[in-house]
């Protein structure tokens, strides 16, 4: 509440009465009774005063509304003791409407003042015309005076001639003098008339100007007095309304406090009632719980008795089912009939048993049967012995030959065993020797050698500031053209230099395409030389399948990691010599094998945050490990390394996947270069990574709006036709790339057309090339869309790359080239 009081005090401050600009020669009295709100000597216009009054009334109304809402939220009046908030708001609204009407009146007064100022300006124009007329009269007067001087000089000349010829020319002299006197009189009369006319006109203009000036000053004084009176009245009304509002606010706060006290008492009573109610509920719940427990125990006893009875019945039922199963689940009549038949059969068998032979006969028969069985057994045994004897005779006939063959085999096996034992002993000695030599030796010999190389452990002085990217691109063009180590001259256009540099701001993976001999491999190596950066050339082989072909492999038997040139380049880029500069790794003929296979780990790492970009070289840590390996097995992927792949497209190469194109900065070098005369540049320290990234960031901040407009242009102009007719889409990655790429092109001296045309041709229109489902009419519609949309970009130049892609596809499909 104290905050609202302060707010009301601040809003209730009196407003300065605006003054009109004083007319020339008229002093304006200072405003009385209004606190100054402007700087000393500064006069507010009526519009400013009206705006100030409107602003104060709006703030007062807003403050009153907030306080009323606060009061309403604290408590709702009961028993009719609350304040009438609706009435207060209505009165404040009426006061605000009154102030607004008076403000409109002040605006009209300002309009009247503007018309008076226009009249004063007209008067000033008339005064300027009068001054011009006065200058004309003065010029005419000067001309007449000049003629009078000429006449006087002529008169003096004639008088001289008269003195020289006194004799014989008296009559002629008198006539001449008389004629000259007449002419002089005429000139004097004309001069007098001109002077009178000029004096009359001057008096007339002075009178009219004085009357107009008095009238304007009177009108301004009247308007100023009226405005001062109106302002004083409005200020008094505002003060009165502020006092009334403070009184009503004080009363409302008092009522709120009373209501709050009543609510506190009511809350205490409700808390006591709630405690008593909870106690009664607890007692009633205990009694009900005890009754429910007794009923539960009774039901449980009855349930146990029922379960016992059920088990007995179930046992009787099981016994009956077993009896029925034993009888085959047949009916009782059938079982009784079968029992009767069995009794009859037993009786018949008993009769037959009585008729069988005696026991002696049976014993003799059994004796004969046993004798027969023994004879059969002896016969079988003797037959087996006969077969065995015959086999033994046959084996004994070849025993000598087999013994000689076995002896030869034994001798040969013993010789082989001796040789294997000798080889094993030599291998054991070699292993022991290698183990002795590997103790204390790093499994990464090349990386450890870099740690010991003093040249790589010293940070050189760096070039730390790039004030102008345009001049920097021109300097790079000259430095790239001349290689001090050779006589070779490289001509790359400024647009290619800008594009490569902007690509470095957009992505750390570059793809350079073009026919053989266009300088794809030379450009990144020359760029590294011009920047004073490090570079490594890695020649990709056609048989590469996984990352071991790219970075190397570990030989567990030798305890050595065979580091490939690519891995050595990554480690070298992190050494102090190159840690704060650019390092470029060139993958020559990158698409001889599938990059998505051997370069997969790098493609994935480049998409992650910088702190997660790393390569796991080993499954476990090794000792002693190189200094830059983390945990003895992981190599961080340095942020100063750019990977540049060159690519030809023929029957010996592979096609890049769309995901590789989308993540990379793609350049297609032209067949013909722009030749120029290179100039030798002064030696310069290596350009630091911080300076290069700072220049990129400065450009992106300066041209952020243009880059955003460029992406909106591409998305708004081509998303529909490319998605609907060619099924080509894009995501947030393209927006991020354009926000990084376009500003650097503009800062490097390029145009918006150059940047957007490159992105459109390499990122989007590239996907419509060599497709079998493309129709000529769709390509023609796309060409028209590009031509119609490009003027909306408001940039000079034509999208030459994009149009060339569309034309080449039309020619491939046999469409009319003129179209």
């Amino acid at each position: 509440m104290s905050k609202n009081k302060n707010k009301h005090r601040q809003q209730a401050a009196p407003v300065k009465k605006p003054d009109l600009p004083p007319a020339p020669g008229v002093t304006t009295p200072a405003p009385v009774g209004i606190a100054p709100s402007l700087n000393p000597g500064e006069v507010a216009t009526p519009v400013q005063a009206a705006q100030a009054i409107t602003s104060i009334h709006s703030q007062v109304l807003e403050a009153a509304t907030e306080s009323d809402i606060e009061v309403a939220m604290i408590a709702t009046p009961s028993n009719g003791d609350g304040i009438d908030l609706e009435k207060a708001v209505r009165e404040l609204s009426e006061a605000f409407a009154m102030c607004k009407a008076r403000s409109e009146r002040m605006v009209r007064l300002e309009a009247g003042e503007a018309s008076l100022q226009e009249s004063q300006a007209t008067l000033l124009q008339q005064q300027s015309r009068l001054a011009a007329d006065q200058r004309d009269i003065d010029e005419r007067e000067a001309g007449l005076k000049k003629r009078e001087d000429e006449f006087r000089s002529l008169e003096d000349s004639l008088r001289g001639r008269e003195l020289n010829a006194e004799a014989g020319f008296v009559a002629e002299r008198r006539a001449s003098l008389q004629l000259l006197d007449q002419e002089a009189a005429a000139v004097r009369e004309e001069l007098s008339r001109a002077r009178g006319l000029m004096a009359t006109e001057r008096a007339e203009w002075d009178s009219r100007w004085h009357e107009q000036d008095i009238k304007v000053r009177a009108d301004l004084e009247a308007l100023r007095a009226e405005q001062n009176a109106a302002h004083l009245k409005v200020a008094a009304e505002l003060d009165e309304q502020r006092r009334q509002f403070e009184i009503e606010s004080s009363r409302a706060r008092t009522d709120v406090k009373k209501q709050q006290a009543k609510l506190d008492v009511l809350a205490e009573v409700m808390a006591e009632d709630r405690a008593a109610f909870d106690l009664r509920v607890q007692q009633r719940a205990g009694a009900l719980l005890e009754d429910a427990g007794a009923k539960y125990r009774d039901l449980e006893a009855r349930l146990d008795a029922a379960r016992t009875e059920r088990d007995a019945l179930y046992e009787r039922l099981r016994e009956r089912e077993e009896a029925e199963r034993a009888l085959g689940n047949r009916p009782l009549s059938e079982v009784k009939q079968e029992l009767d038949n069995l009794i009859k059969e037993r009786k018949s068998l008993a009769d037959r048993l009585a008729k069988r032979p005696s026991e002696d006969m049976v014993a003799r028969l059994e004796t004969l049967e046993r004798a027969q069985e023994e004879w059969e057994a002896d016969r079988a045994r003797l037959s087996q012995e006969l077969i065995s004897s015959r086999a033994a005779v046959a084996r004994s006939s070849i025993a000598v030959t087999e013994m000689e063959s076995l002896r030869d085999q034994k001798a040969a096996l013993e010789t082989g065993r001796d040789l294997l034992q000798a080889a094993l002993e030599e291998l054991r000695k070699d292993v022991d020797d290698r183990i002795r030599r590997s103790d204390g030796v790093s499994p990464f010999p090349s990386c450890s050698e870099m740690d010991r190389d003093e040249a790589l452990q010293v940070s050189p002085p760096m070039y730390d500031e790039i004030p102008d990217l345009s001049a920097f691109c021109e300097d790079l063009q000259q430095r790239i053209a001349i290689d001090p180590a050779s006589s070779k001259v490289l001509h790359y256009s400024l647009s290619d230099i800008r594009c490569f540099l902007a690509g470095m701001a957009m992505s750390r993976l570059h793809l350079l395409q073009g026919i053989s001999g266009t300088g794809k491999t030379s450009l990144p190596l020359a760029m590294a030389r011009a920047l004073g950066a490090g570079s490594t050339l890695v020649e990709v082989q056609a048989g590469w399948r996984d990352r071991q072909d790219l970075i190397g492999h570990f030989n567990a038997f030798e305890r050595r990691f065979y580091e490939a040139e690519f891995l050595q380049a990554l480690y070298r880029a992190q050494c102090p010599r190159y840690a704060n500069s650019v390092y470029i790794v060139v993958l020559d003929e990158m698409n001889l094998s599938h990059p998505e296979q051997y370069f997969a780990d790098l493609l994935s790492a480049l998409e992650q945050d910088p702190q997660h970009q790393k390569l796991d070289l080993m499954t476990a840590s090794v000792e002693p490990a190189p200094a830059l390996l983390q945990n003895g097995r992981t190599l961080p992927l340095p942020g100063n390394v750019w990977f540049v792949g060159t690519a030809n497209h023929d029957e010996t190469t592979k096609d890049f996947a769309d995901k590789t194109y989308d993540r990379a900065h793609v350049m297609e070098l032209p067949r013909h270069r722009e030749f120029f005369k290179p100039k030798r540049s002064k030696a310069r320290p290596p350009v630091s990574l911080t300076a290069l990234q700072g220049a990129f960031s400065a450009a992106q901040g300066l041209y952020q709006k243009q880059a955003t407009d460029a992406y909106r242009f591409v998305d708004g102009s081509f998303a529909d036709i490319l998605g609907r007719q060619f099924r080509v889409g894009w995501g947030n990655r393209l927006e991020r790339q354009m926000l990084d790429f376009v500003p650097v092109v503009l800062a490097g001296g390029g145009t918006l057309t150059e940047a957007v045309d490159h992105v459109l041709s390499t990122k989007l229109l590239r996907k419509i090339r060599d497709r079998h489902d493309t129709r000529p009419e769709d390509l023609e519609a796309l060409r028209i869309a590009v031509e119609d949309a490009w003027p909306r970009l408001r940039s000079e130049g034509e999208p030459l790359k994009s149009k060339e892609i569309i034309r080449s596809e039309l020619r491939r499909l046999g469409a009319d080239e003129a179209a």
Side-chain angles (χ1 to χ4, degrees):
M1 299 299 292
S2 61
K3 186 182 297 184
N4 291 333
K5 290 181 180 179
N6 296 332
K7 188 173 183 181
H8 295 328
R9 292 194 187 101
Q10 295 173 0
Q11 293 171 350
V15 183
K16 177 177 177 62
K17 180 175 63 179
D19 294 334
L20 292 175
V26 179
T27 59
T28 303
V32 180
I34 298 177
S37 61
L38 299 174
N39 296 327
E42 183 178 355
V43 180
T45 63
V47 174
Q48 293 174 342
Q51 292 175 351
I53 294 172
T54 304
S55 174
I56 291 174
H57 274 272
S58 299
Q59 294 174 0
V60 170
L61 182 58
E62 180 181 359
T65 304
E66 291 177 354
S67 62
D68 293 339
I69 292 174
E70 183 179 9
V71 170
M73 292 297 295
I74 293 175
T76 302
S78 59
N79 302 325
D81 294 334
I83 60 174
D84 192 352
L85 298 180
E86 183 177 359
K87 180 179 179 181
V89 172
R90 186 170 58 254
E91 291 176 355
L92 290 175
S93 301
E94 292 175 357
F96 176 71
M98 184 185 301
C99 292
K100 185 176 181 181
R102 290 172 179 172
S103 300
E104 293 176 354
R105 182 182 177 187
M106 298 303 298
V107 172
R108 290 195 297 271
L109 291 176
E110 176 65 18
E113 182 183 2
S115 63
L116 290 177
Q117 291 177 353
E118 291 178 358
S119 301
Q120 188 174 5
T122 303
L123 181 59
L124 292 176
Q125 292 178 358
Q126 293 176 356
Q127 290 177 353
S128 62
R129 287 197 296 270
L130 179 61
D133 294 340
Q134 180 67 36
R135 286 193 298 272
D136 293 339
I137 293 173
D138 293 339
E139 291 176 357
R140 291 173 58 188
E141 200 172 54
L144 293 175
K145 187 175 181 181
K146 184 177 180 181
R147 290 181 61 187
E148 182 179 3
D149 294 337
E150 292 176 354
F151 285 139
R152 286 179 179 176
S153 62
L154 181 61
E155 182 179 2
D156 293 338
S157 176
L158 291 175
R159 286 179 181 176
R161 292 173 61 188
E162 181 182 2
L163 292 176
N164 294 330
E166 290 181 356
F169 296 101
V170 175
E172 184 179 356
R173 183 185 63 181
R174 290 177 180 176
S176 298
L177 289 175
Q178 187 178 3
L179 181 61
L180 289 174
D181 290 339
Q182 292 176 358
E183 290 180 357
V187 169
R188 291 190 185 95
E189 185 178 357
E190 183 179 358
L191 180 60
S192 177
R193 284 198 303 271
R195 288 176 177 174
L197 179 63
M198 183 175 66
T200 303
E201 290 180 353
R202 177 177 295 175
E204 184 180 355
W205 277 107
D206 289 341
S207 176
R208 290 172 57 188
W209 179 84
H210 185 66
E211 292 176 357
Q212 189 71 19
D213 182 62
I214 293 174
K215 181 179 180 181
V216 169
R217 292 176 186 275
D219 292 341
L220 289 175
E221 287 295 330
L223 182 60
R224 183 180 292 108
E226 183 180 358
Q227 290 177 349
N228 290 338
H231 291 170
L232 290 174
K233 185 177 180 181
V234 170
E237 291 177 355
L238 287 176
D239 291 340
E240 181 64 25
Q241 291 175 3
R242 179 180 59 79
R243 286 193 296 270
Q244 293 179 1
F245 180 75
E246 288 180 351
I247 294 171
E248 292 177 357
S249 298
S250 177
R251 293 175 182 174
R253 293 190 189 96
T254 304
D255 294 339
V256 168
K257 290 180 179 179
K258 293 179 180 179
Q259 295 296 331
Q260 184 64 38
K262 292 180 181 179
L263 288 176
D264 292 340
V265 174
L266 182 61
E268 293 177 357
V269 173
M270 289 182 65
E272 294 175 356
D273 293 344
R274 182 183 297 275
F277 178 74
D278 291 341
L279 180 60
R280 290 197 300 272
V281 168
Q282 186 176 5
Q283 294 174 353
R284 182 64 181 275
L288 292 176
L289 184 61
E290 187 176 354
D291 293 342
K295 291 180 181 180
Y296 175 75
R297 288 190 295 273
D298 181 53
L299 290 174
E300 195 172 34
R302 293 171 62 187
L303 179 61
D304 292 340
R307 286 175 178 171
T308 303
E309 184 179 1
R310 181 200 63 185
D311 294 341
L313 293 175
Y314 180 75
E315 183 65 24
R316 292 177 60 187
L317 179 61
R318 186 181 60 79
E319 292 176 353
R320 181 169 182 177
E321 289 178 351
E322 289 180 355
E324 289 179 353
R325 279 197 301 272
L327 297 175
N329 295 323
R330 292 177 294 177
L332 295 177
S333 58
E334 183 178 351
V335 172
K336 185 177 182 301
Q337 183 179 0
E338 184 178 359
L339 184 60
D340 293 340
N341 292 334
L342 290 174
I343 292 172
K344 291 179 181 179
E345 184 177 358
R346 182 177 63 83
K347 185 177 180 180
S348 175
L349 290 175
D351 294 340
R352 289 176 60 186
L353 182 58
K355 295 179 181 179
R356 293 185 65 179
S358 62
E359 293 180 1
D360 294 337
M361 293 178 64
V362 172
R364 185 179 178 184
L365 181 60
E366 290 177 356
T367 301
L368 292 174
E369 289 177 354
R370 283 196 298 272
Q372 184 181 0
E373 290 176 359
E374 292 175 358
W375 178 81
E376 291 290 343
D378 291 340
R379 183 173 177 272
R381 180 175 54 79
L382 292 175
S383 298
Q384 187 66 30
E385 290 178 357
L386 178 60
I387 294 172
S388 299
S389 299
R390 289 176 180 175
V393 171
R395 284 196 300 272
S396 62
S397 63
I398 61 173
V400 177
T401 305
E402 289 180 352
M403 289 297 293
E404 292 177 354
S405 177
L406 290 174
R407 190 179 293 110
D408 295 338
Q409 292 178 4
K410 179 182 178 183
L413 290 174
E414 289 176 350
T415 303
R417 181 196 62 187
D418 295 338
L419 293 174
L420 289 175
Q421 287 180 349
L424 182 60
E425 187 65 26
E426 292 180 1
L427 185 59
R428 184 179 292 108
K429 293 179 180 179
D430 184 52
V431 170
D432 293 339
D433 183 55
R434 288 179 180 272
I435 291 175
R436 284 194 302 272
R437 285 184 298 171
S438 63
D439 290 340
V441 177
S442 172
F444 296 85
S446 299
C447 294
S448 298
E449 182 63 27
M450 294 182 199
D451 292 337
R452 295 187 294 269
D453 190 349
E454 295 182 358
L456 295 177
Q457 302 305 316
V458 178
S459 299
M462 307 298 290
Y463 184 75
D464 292 329
E465 185 178 1
I466 303 176
D468 186 2
L469 272 179
S470 178
F472 185 68
C473 290
E474 295 176 358
D475 180 66
L476 286 178
Q477 183 188 32
Q478 301 298 328
R479 293 180 184 273
I480 288 174
I482 300 177
D483 185 1
S486 66
S487 58
K488 186 177 180 181
V489 179
L490 301 175
H491 294 89
Y492 292 99
S493 64
L494 271 177
S495 61
D496 291 337
I497 303 299
R498 277 194 301 266
C499 187
F500 190 93
L501 202 63
M504 294 179 69
M506 182 181 76
S507 174
R508 289 169 59 194
L509 176 61
H510 289 205
L511 298 180
L512 304 185
Q513 303 181 137
I515 62 174
S516 179
T518 54
K520 299 186 295 297
T521 306
S522 301
L523 176 59
L525 296 176
M527 178 66 74
R529 172 174 51 77
L531 292 172
S535 63
T536 298
L537 178 64
V538 178
E539 297 180 352
V540 177
Q541 304 300 318
W544 286 11
R545 292 293 179 268
D546 53 31
R547 73 174 204 160
Q548 291 186 356
D549 298 319
L550 180 66
I551 66 175
H553 65 280
F554 180 71
N555 189 325
F557 181 72
E558 298 181 6
R559 290 191 72 253
R560 176 186 175 185
F561 197 101
Y562 284 87
E563 304 132 300
E565 188 64 31
F566 183 85
L567 178 60
Q568 296 182 38
L570 293 183
Y571 195 89
R572 187 180 300 109
Q574 302 181 62
C575 293
R577 167 63 180 84
Y578 299 105
N580 192 30
S581 62
V582 176
Y583 200 97
I584 297 178
V585 178
V586 181
L587 298 171
D588 197 23
E589 301 291 343
M590 185 179 186
N591 60 337
L592 282 178
S593 292
H594 286 290
E596 294 76 21
Q597 295 177 357
Y598 69 85
F599 204 69
D601 289 351
L602 275 300
L603 289 175
S604 177
L606 290 175
E607 288 295 301
Q608 299 178 9
D609 294 334
Q611 63 270 21
H612 297 142
Q613 295 181 1
K614 59 184 179 179
L615 286 176
D616 291 329
L617 304 180
M618 305 285 294
T619 56
S621 61
V622 295
E623 292 295 340
L628 298 179
L629 257 61
Q630 296 178 355
N631 303 323
R633 67 185 188 90
T634 301
L635 179 66
L637 192 62
N640 62 330
V641 175
W642 274 261
F643 304 97
V644 180
T646 65
N648 292 323
H649 294 284
D650 52 36
E651 64 278 1
T652 64
T653 60
K654 313 293 183 183
D655 290 332
F656 290 107
D658 281 344
K659 66 178 182 179
T660 306
Y661 275 121
D662 292 340
R663 297 174 182 180
H665 167 63
V666 183
M667 284 183 64
E668 186 160 355
L669 297 183
R671 298 169 181 260
H672 305 289
R673 301 179 184 175
E674 298 178 3
F675 289 93
F676 58 90
K677 185 177 181 181
K679 302 177 183 178
R680 290 192 175 273
S681 303
K682 297 181 181 179
R684 181 185 63 193
V687 178
S688 68
L689 179 65
T690 305
L692 191 62
Q693 292 177 342
F696 292 161
S697 300
Q700 290 159 5
L702 182 61
Y703 296 102
Q704 181 181 9
K705 182 180 183 302
Q706 291 88 332
T708 303
D709 294 341
Y711 174 75
R712 291 175 180 171
F713 167 76
V714 172
D715 188 65
S717 302
F718 306 112
D720 181 61
I721 185 170
L722 288 176
R724 178 167 40 84
Q725 299 183 7
F726 297 93
R727 297 186 301 280
V728 174
W730 56 87
N732 295 332
R733 179 188 286 122
L734 180 64
E735 181 179 5
R736 293 195 302 269
Q737 291 175 343
M738 290 190 68
L739 293 179
D740 292 337
F741 178 81
V742 174
V744 179
V745 173
L746 296 178
T751 63
L752 200 58
T753 292
E754 177 184 336
V756 175
D757 183 30
H758 179 80
V759 173
L760 182 62
S761 61
T762 59
K763 292 292 183 181
L764 304 180
L765 298 186
R766 175 198 58 78
K767 298 181 180 181
I768 71 174
R769 279 181 167 176
D770 301 327
R771 288 173 53 168
H772 301 289
D773 57 346
T774 303
R775 299 182 303 172
E777 51 268 28
D778 293 339
L779 290 172
E780 182 62 23
L782 178 60
R783 183 187 65 81
I784 295 174
V786 171
E787 292 179 351
D788 293 344
W790 211 262
R792 295 199 299 271
L793 189 59
R794 298 193 180 113
S795 178
E796 299 179 356
E798 292 292 329
L800 302 179
K801 297 179 181 178
S802 302
K803 287 185 176 181
E804 178 58 29
I805 291 177
I806 299 174
R807 282 196 295 267
S808 64
E809 286 300 296
L810 286 171
R811 288 194 296 269
R812 182 179 64 86
L813 297 177
D816 186 8
E817 187 175 354

